[in-house]
């Protein structure tokens, strides 16, 4: 038996019970679709009408909840935007079933203009002694092109909480979750139950962009685009899931019970009283708020209060339940004729909670007293569960009889799950047997019995919501509602909570067939991973079912199922395998991209001077007369900029696009470099030719190129390259609201040449450039089988490796140099074949003279005829000739 020492429930027990309620708010009711007068409409953002603060109303009655809700924004570059967008949502989803009957789900509070924005929903006036449920969601309805736009929901300021977001949402931690709100057709909801505010009665729901994959965020999420909310619900839960126990010794004539936290109400001839008192919580002595009172209905004479020595089985219910607290001697004996009864009236109970009652009595009179029986009946409860000692004589669900004249076996009358009625009152009526004819104990005395001796009342732990499961499925992959890469693994992530997974019990079925599963454990999660031996078929639908067991006592089995659909790649173009490069040509190439940049004055075309008018001009301008206004001091010896990481450029390094940490375009030092002296506005166009060899596996591929204003992607290098058309269903135009998508099939694994042309005629735009001007951004990423969208050649899982073609890379690098012996004139360096090197010497590291020119014929080059030149206190170097 557990003893609860929590004094925080004193207020709950002494004040009138607060009814449970729900309150709803439509944060973006721009279309007026929500017209319920009992719904609030606080909102925030550009064009929003307000108010940003209001008192939440109880849904249904419209009565005040006493809770104030307020939006506050922390901006980065520009404030969030209040808007309305048509949406489609799964009618069986959490969002539809929770909010659909009350609110119109259209509309949202959209993202700020750069990383670092967040919106706080501040809820104040909460009762620190109560618990709450919060749920919120948003949906832009932008289609799959908006799927990477993500909201991070975080609960701040709660003393306690239980994560309860939609299955399939991406759990980041116990107090935070992420999911796509740009394309939330599956209807995910961020939700927490059991929220206990602190003493200040305040919590905050903070919405912002993803925290990033490195911090546990949703793979593939946009770095800062997301939605701050659309609708939310706050619910006052039934009183907190905790409890207490209270004990009473009804016949302490011998003074054997001396615990000050026990009450001693009693009744009967010679009893000292009192007949009524407030029950105390065992352990703390705090008031339970429950009043206990004895009332007698006599026949001929009243009951008698007495003390008798007893013997009881030490392993019995009576001994184990009451023995550690009370002295079991004493009883309230029978009246003088049939028809008597004693009522123990318990008042001040919470109709929203459940209780346990247990009572016993024992005269200790031996076998001669065995016929003296007590009939116990529970009256006035809306619900109850019979739980009396095995062996006691059950008369009905609400009544039991057993001998109290000779109760050495230690029987106890007990009920659990007692739910009082609206009046918060129950009665435990004790009397003699009801008679064998009425189902009573055979052989019981007609009216001799005992009205009681001791009793216990317990406020049960738990609430009407039921016990929380120890384990919870928190991540599913492939994602529901989004077409899956056919090379995807199947992953179920389990938060074990306080449970212990029976690893041998983990089973997964894919399309009805049991499949192999590996377990990957981290500090907080256990991933169940199935790696299919081959790719999924085009547009195929698959059902996954998982089963596992939590090794509780008894063990608790779990089962869950979901479906996903793969992309339709049946009609996609196939790359020309003849354009692939032999792997031997890659062995000595540098990782990265080769980039040529040109900036021209679009007005000055005098003297047949070429100017950039379209992206295709970047194929030809290098061989034509032109004035290049770009800054070219960082070119390599082949005339290319070298990018060893990923393509992630923005003209002024602003946070625009899908990835953070933007770099300037090579050769373009921001907008100022595109402004002619004496002018105020940029007027110099520029473009970049980016060449690379990409290592592609056979099968489906999906590139994402975020570009403003113009770009083109080609298979091949130079003017003979083949243009690759983007997915016509996703067309961002000249803005960077989303990435252009290039989907194709690769017939054979290999190294394929690509050319990406970018042209900036200063006409591109972004919804995030609040200061005016164009976005001028470029990113090249891949939609990986992991569900991520990494930059190509970034040092992360799921990316694609890139190599600089030989014609654009630096000359081969000298891998080692060793001056073996000055005396012998032996100079050795390791390099690549077919290259010419200069050996130079210097006495002061300022001026250098050529000592020799060496043609390497193999990986090791030796030059030994330098004995007359080599000398001590001299410096030497090897370099490429210009």
């Amino acid at each position: 038996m557990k003893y609860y020492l929590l004094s925080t429930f004193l207020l709950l027990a002494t004040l009138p019970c607060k009814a449970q309620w729900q309150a709803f708010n439509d944060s973006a009711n721009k279309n007026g679709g929500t017209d319920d007068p009992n719904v609030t409409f606080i909102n925030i953002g550009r064009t929003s009408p307000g108010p940003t603060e209001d008192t939440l109303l109880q849904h249904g009655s419209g009565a005040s909840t006493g809770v104030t809700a307020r939006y506050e924004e922390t901006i980065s570059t520009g404030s969030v935007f209040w808007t309305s967008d048509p949406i489609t949502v799964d009618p069986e989803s959490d969002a539809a079933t929770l909010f659909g009957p009350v609110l119109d789900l259209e509309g949202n509070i959209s993202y700020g203009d750069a990383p670092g924005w967040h919106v706080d929903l501040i809820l104040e006036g909460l009762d620190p002694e109560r618990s709450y449920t919060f749920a919120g969601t948003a949906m832009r309805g932008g289609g799959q092109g908006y799927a990477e736009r993500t909201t991070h929901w975080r609960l701040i300021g709660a003393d306690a909480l239980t994560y309860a977001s939609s299955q399939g949402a991406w759990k980041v931690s116990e107090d935070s979750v992420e999911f796509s709100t740009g394309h939330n057709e599956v209807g995910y909801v961020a939700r927490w139950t059991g929220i206990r505010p602190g003493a200040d009665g305040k919590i905050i729901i903070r919405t912002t962009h993803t925290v990033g994959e490195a911090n546990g965020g949703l793979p593939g999420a946009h770095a800062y685009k997301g939605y701050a909310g659309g609708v939310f619900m706050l619910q006052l839960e039934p009183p907190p899931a905790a409890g207490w126990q209270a004990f009473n010794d009804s016949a302490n004539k011998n003074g054997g019970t001396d615990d000050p936290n026990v009450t001693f109400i009693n009744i009967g001839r010679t009893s000292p009283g009192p007949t009524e008192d407030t029950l105390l919580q065992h352990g703390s002595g705090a008031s339970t708020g429950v009043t206990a009172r004895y009332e007698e209905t006599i026949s001929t004479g009243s009951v008698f209060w007495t003390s008798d020595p007893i013997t009881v089985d030490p392993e019995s219910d009576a001994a184990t339940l009451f023995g550690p607290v009370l002295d079991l001697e004493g009883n309230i004996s029978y009246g003088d004729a049939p028809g008597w009864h004693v009522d123990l009236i318990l008042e001040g109970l919470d109709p929203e909670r459940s209780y346990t009652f247990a009572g016993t009595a024992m005269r200790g009179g031996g076998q001669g007293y065995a016929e003296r029986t007590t009939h116990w009946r529970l009256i006035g409860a809306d619900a109850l569960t019979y739980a009396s000692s095995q062996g006691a004589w059950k008369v009905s669900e609400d009544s039991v009889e057993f001998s109290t004249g000779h109760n050495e076996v230690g029987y106890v009358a007990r009920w659990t799950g007692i739910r009082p009625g609206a009046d918060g009152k129950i009665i435990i009526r004790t009397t003699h047997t009801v008679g064998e004819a009425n189902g009573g104990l055979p052989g019981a005395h007609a009216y001799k019995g005992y009205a009681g001796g001791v009793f216990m009342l317990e406020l049960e732990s738990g609430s009407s919501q039921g016990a929380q499961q120890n384990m919870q499925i928190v991540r599913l992959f492939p994602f529901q509602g989004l077409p899956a890469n056919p090379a995807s693994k199947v992953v179920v992530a389990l938060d074990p909570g306080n449970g212990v997974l029976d690893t041998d019990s983990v089973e997964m079925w894919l399309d009805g067939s049991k499949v192999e599963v590996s377990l990957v454990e981290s500090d907080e999660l256990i991933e169940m991973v199935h790696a299919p031996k081959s790719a999924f078929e085009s547009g195929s639908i698959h059902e996954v079912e998982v089963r596992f067991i939590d090794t509780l006592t008894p063990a608790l089995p779990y089962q869950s199922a979901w479906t996903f659909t793969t992309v339709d790649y049946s009609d996609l173009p196939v790359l020309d395998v003849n354009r692939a490069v032999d792997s031997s040509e890659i062995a000595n190439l540098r990782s990265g991209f080769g980039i040529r940049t040109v900036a021209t004055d679009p007005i000055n075309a005098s003297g047949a001077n070429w100017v950039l008018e379209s992206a295709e001009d970047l194929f030809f301008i290098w061989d034509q007369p032109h004035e290049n206004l770009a800054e070219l001091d960082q070119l390599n010896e082949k005339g290319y900029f070298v990018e060893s990481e990923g393509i992630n450029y923005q003209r002024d390094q602003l946070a625009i696009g899908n990835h953070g940490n933007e770099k300037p375009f090579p050769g373009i030092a921001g907008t100022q470099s595109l402004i002619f002296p004496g002018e105020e506005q940029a007027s110099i166009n520029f473009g970049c030719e980016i060449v690379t060899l990409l290592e592609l596996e056979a099968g489906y591929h999906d590139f994402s190129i975020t570009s403003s204003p113009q770009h083109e992607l080609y298979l091949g290098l130079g003017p003979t390259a083949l243009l690759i058309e983007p997915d016509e269903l996703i067309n961002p135009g000249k803005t960077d609201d989303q990435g252009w998508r290039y989907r194709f099939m690769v017939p054979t694994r290999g190294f394929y040449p690509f050319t990406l042309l970018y042209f900036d005629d200063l006409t591109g735009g972004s919804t995030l450039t609040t200061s005016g001007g164009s976005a001028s951004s470029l990113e090249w990423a891949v939609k990986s089988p992991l569900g991520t969208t990494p930059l190509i050649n970034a040092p992360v899982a799921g990316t694609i490796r890139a190599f600089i073609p030989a014609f654009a890379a630096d000359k081969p690098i000298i891998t080692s140099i060793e001056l073996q012996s000055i005396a012998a004139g032996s100079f050795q360096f390791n390099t690549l074949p077919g290259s010419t090197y200069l050996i130079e010497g210097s006495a002061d590291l300022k001026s250098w003279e050529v000592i020799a020119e060496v043609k390497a014929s193999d990986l090791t080059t030796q030059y030994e005829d330098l004995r007359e030149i080599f000398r001590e206190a001299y410096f030497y170097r090897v370099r490429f000739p210009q």
Side-chain angles (χ1 to χ4, degrees):
M1 187 62 62
K2 297 180 180 178
Y3 299 96
Y4 295 88
L5 308 181
L6 304 179
S7 60
T8 54
F9 294 93
L10 172 61
L11 183 61
L12 288 177
T14 56
L15 296 179
C17 176
K18 298 180 181 179
Q20 180 183 358
W21 47 253
Q22 285 182 315
F24 290 85
N25 188 87
D26 192 335
S27 305
N29 194 38
K30 188 173 184 178
N31 65 343
T34 299
D35 56 5
D36 190 331
N38 298 329
V39 169
T40 51
F41 301 92
I42 68 165
N43 53 81
I44 197 171
R46 286 168 282 175
T47 76
S48 64
T52 57
E53 178 176 343
D54 206 352
T55 300
L56 297 179
L57 304 178
Q58 296 186 32
H59 180 248
S61 71
S64 173
T65 63
V67 177
T68 300
R70 180 174 75 259
Y71 275 125
E72 290 186 358
E73 177 185 11
T74 297
I75 67 172
S76 50
T77 301
S79 63
V80 293
F81 192 81
W82 183 78
T83 185
S84 178
D85 299 292
I87 60 95
T88 301
V89 63
D90 183 347
E92 296 182 1
S93 67
D94 288 350
T97 55
L98 176 58
F99 294 103
V102 182
L103 302 177
D104 170 34
L105 289 171
E106 286 192 5
N108 55 73
I109 306 170
S110 67
Y111 51 86
D113 291 345
W117 68 267
H118 68 257
V119 173
D120 284 346
L121 171 60
I122 303 170
L123 301 170
E124 295 178 291
L126 304 173
D127 187 343
E129 301 296 331
R130 299 298 297 270
S131 60
Y132 297 80
T133 290
F134 174 87
T137 193
M139 45 196 72
R140 166 66 170 80
Q144 293 174 22
Y146 281 67
E148 61 193 359
R149 301 187 182 187
T150 298
T151 301
H152 177 88
W153 309 74
R154 183 184 172 204
L155 172 57
I156 301 172
D159 284 354
L161 55 89
T162 298
Y163 178 90
S165 297
S166 299
Q167 178 173 304
W170 189 267
K171 182 178 182 182
V172 180
S173 63
E174 292 299 327
D175 64 0
S176 62
V177 63
E178 293 187 5
F179 52 87
S180 169
T181 46
H183 182 58
N184 189 17
E185 190 174 7
V186 294
Y188 289 151
V189 166
R191 179 167 46 203
W192 292 270
T193 62
I195 302 169
R196 294 293 299 273
D200 60 357
K202 173 183 174 181
I203 61 172
I204 297 173
I205 307 297
R206 177 165 294 174
T207 48
T208 184
H209 51 75
T210 179
V211 296
E213 187 176 353
N215 298 314
L218 181 69
H222 194 285
Y224 59 88
K225 291 182 181 179
Y227 299 90
V231 294
F232 69 81
M233 181 275 292
L234 182 70
Q235 175 179 321
L236 175 65
E237 296 177 351
W244 43 252
Q245 287 181 315
F247 290 85
N248 187 86
D249 193 336
S250 306
N252 194 37
K253 187 174 183 178
N254 66 341
T257 300
D258 58 5
D259 190 330
N261 298 328
V262 169
T263 50
F264 301 93
I265 67 165
N266 53 81
I267 196 171
R269 286 170 285 178
T270 76
S271 67
T275 59
E276 179 177 339
D277 205 351
T278 299
L279 297 179
L280 304 178
Q281 296 184 32
H282 179 251
S284 70
S287 171
T288 65
V290 177
T291 300
R293 182 175 74 256
Y294 275 125
E295 291 184 357
E296 179 186 10
T297 298
I298 67 172
S299 53
T300 301
S302 65
V303 293
F304 189 80
W305 182 77
T306 185
S307 178
D308 299 291
I310 59 98
T311 301
V312 64
D313 183 348
E315 295 183 2
S316 67
D317 288 350
T320 56
L321 176 58
F322 294 103
V325 183
L326 304 176
D327 170 33
L328 289 173
E329 287 190 3
N331 56 75
I332 306 170
S333 68
Y334 51 86
D336 292 347
W340 66 267
H341 67 257
V342 173
D343 285 345
L344 170 60
I345 303 169
L346 300 170
E347 295 179 290
L349 304 172
D350 188 339
E352 301 296 328
R353 298 300 297 273
S354 59
Y355 297 82
T356 291
F357 173 87
T360 195
M362 45 197 68
R363 166 63 171 82
Q367 293 293 332
Y369 282 70
E371 60 186 4
R372 301 186 183 187
T373 299
T374 301
H375 176 89
W376 310 74
R377 182 184 173 201
L378 172 57
I379 301 171
D382 285 353
L384 55 89
T385 299
Y386 178 90
S388 297
S389 299
Q390 182 174 311
W393 188 267
K394 182 179 179 181
V395 179
S396 63
E397 290 297 325
D398 62 0
S399 62
V400 64
E401 293 185 3
F402 52 85
S403 170
T404 46
H406 181 59
N407 189 18
E408 188 175 7
V409 293
Y411 290 152
V412 167
R414 180 167 48 202
W415 292 269
T416 63
I418 301 169
R419 297 294 296 270
D423 60 357
K425 173 182 173 181
I426 60 171
I427 297 172
I428 307 297
R429 178 165 293 174
T430 49
T431 185
H432 49 75
T433 181
V434 295
E436 189 174 350
N438 298 312
L441 182 68
H445 195 285
Y447 63 87
K448 289 183 179 179
Y450 300 88
V454 293
F455 69 82
M456 182 275 293
L457 181 69
E458 177 180 357
L459 176 63
E460 296 178 351
S461 59
S463 69
S464 59
Q465 293 181 322
Q468 290 290 331
Q469 292 182 327
N470 283 338
M471 291 189 168
Q472 189 174 22
I473 292 175
V474 295
R475 299 175 187 173
L476 299 175
F477 186 79
F479 301 125
Q480 298 182 80
L482 294 177
N485 190 304
S488 297
K489 296 180 180 180
V490 180
V491 183
V492 179
L494 173 69
D495 182 350
N498 295 324
V500 178
L501 177 65
D502 178 358
T503 56
D504 293 333
S505 71
V506 176
E507 297 177 318
M508 181 182 292
W509 281 262
L510 178 61
D511 301 329
S513 298
K514 191 174 180 180
V515 295
E516 294 182 356
V517 180
S518 59
L519 299 181
V520 180
E521 298 189 35
S522 63
D523 292 339
E524 297 181 355
L525 297 178
I526 301 174
E527 288 188 336
M528 308 171 188
V529 182
H530 168 63
K533 296 181 179 179
S534 59
F536 294 110
E537 294 182 359
S538 173
S540 54
I541 301 175
H542 303 277
E543 181 174 0
V544 182
E545 180 180 348
V546 291
R547 301 174 190 170
F548 53 92
I549 294 175
D550 184 357
T551 55
L552 296 172
T553 304
L556 181 63
Y558 288 74
Q559 181 176 354
S560 183
W562 88 99
T563 60
F564 66 89
T565 304
T566 62
V567 297
D568 184 350
Y569 54 86
S570 56
D571 295 326
L572 293 183
V574 180
L575 294 191
D576 183 1
V577 69
N578 294 320
R579 289 183 175 263
V581 175
D582 189 272
S583 59
S584 63
E585 299 183 32
I586 304 297
N588 299 317
L589 293 183
R590 294 184 60 180
S591 173
F593 308 82
I595 303 175
R596 288 194 289 187
T597 300
V598 61
T600 64
D601 177 0
I603 305 301
N604 182 16
S606 60
N609 187 38
W610 267 51
V611 296
L612 288 175
E613 296 180 347
S614 65
E616 300 88 52
D617 289 337
L618 289 163
F619 272 135
F620 309 105
I621 194 171
W622 316 107
D623 300 324
Q624 304 296 329
H626 66 278
E627 181 183 9
N628 194 346
L629 302 176
E631 298 180 7
L632 305 178
D633 57 318
Q634 298 297 317
L635 294 181
N636 67 8
E637 295 170 345
K638 297 292 187 70
Y640 284 81
F641 294 100
V642 172
E643 176 58 69
S644 58
E645 297 178 352
I647 302 300
N648 184 19
Y649 300 135
Q650 206 284 324
R651 190 175 65 204
D652 294 308
Q653 291 184 260
L654 299 176
I656 294 176
N658 296 315
H659 292 266
N661 301 316
E662 287 89 342
K663 294 177 288 187
F665 284 93
I668 306 299
T671 301
Q672 291 298 319
S673 67
L674 305 178
I675 302 176
F676 283 110
E679 298 184 4
E680 296 182 357
Q681 298 294 325
S683 57
I684 300 174
N685 298 337
F686 74 92
C688 295
E689 176 197 58
I690 302 174
V691 293
T692 190
L693 300 171
L694 299 183
E695 182 181 14
L696 301 180
E697 299 292 334
Y700 172 83
H701 286 269
D702 185 349
F703 287 171
S704 174
I705 298 179
T706 304
S707 172
S708 171
Q710 299 179 41
H711 76 281
E712 289 181 348
L713 181 65
Y714 292 82
L715 173 65
L717 305 169
T720 61
L722 299 177
L723 179 67
I724 302 177
E725 296 291 346
D727 190 330
E728 61 183 12
L729 299 179
I730 302 175
N731 185 349
K734 290 188 175 184
T735 70
D736 64 350
D737 286 348
Q738 57 182 303
W740 294 78
R741 300 285 287 278
Y742 295 84
R743 303 191 306 129
F744 50 84
M745 301 298 294
V746 172
T748 305
R749 180 188 180 280
F751 298 88
Y752 291 81
F754 283 86
T755 301
L756 174 59
L757 302 181
Y758 173 81
F759 174 47
D760 187 1
D761 60 0
L762 309 179
T763 62
S766 171
T767 58
L768 307 185
T769 51
T770 57
S771 60
S774 64
S776 296
S777 58
L778 179 65
E779 296 172 355
W780 192 359
V782 58
K783 298 288 186 179
S784 82
L786 303 177
T788 60
T789 309
L791 294 171
I792 290 178
N793 209 47
V796 296
T799 190
I800 291 174
R801 292 204 301 167
F803 299 89
I804 305 173
F807 63 80
D810 283 312
K811 292 186 176 181
I813 298 174
I814 298 173
T815 58
S816 67
I817 300 176
E818 179 183 1
L819 181 59
Q820 294 179 329
S821 170
I822 293 179
S826 177
F827 188 92
Q828 178 175 305
F829 54 92
N830 296 330
T831 182
L832 300 178
S835 300
T836 299
Y837 305 93
L838 299 179
I839 302 176
E840 298 179 333
S842 173
D844 55 9
L845 295 178
K846 295 180 179 180
S847 60
W848 294 86
E849 60 177 325
V850 176
I851 297 174
E853 183 173 327
V854 180
K855 177 72 174 179
S857 58
D858 53 35
L859 289 180
T860 301
T861 300
Q862 296 186 14
Y863 197 78
E864 298 180 349
D865 299 329
L866 301 175
R867 184 174 305 175
E868 296 179 359
I869 301 175
F870 280 6
R871 54 189 181 272
E872 296 182 4
Y874 209 68
F875 302 95
Y876 300 92
R877 72 181 184 185
V878 179
R879 71 174 183 86
F880 304 116
Q882 297 293 334

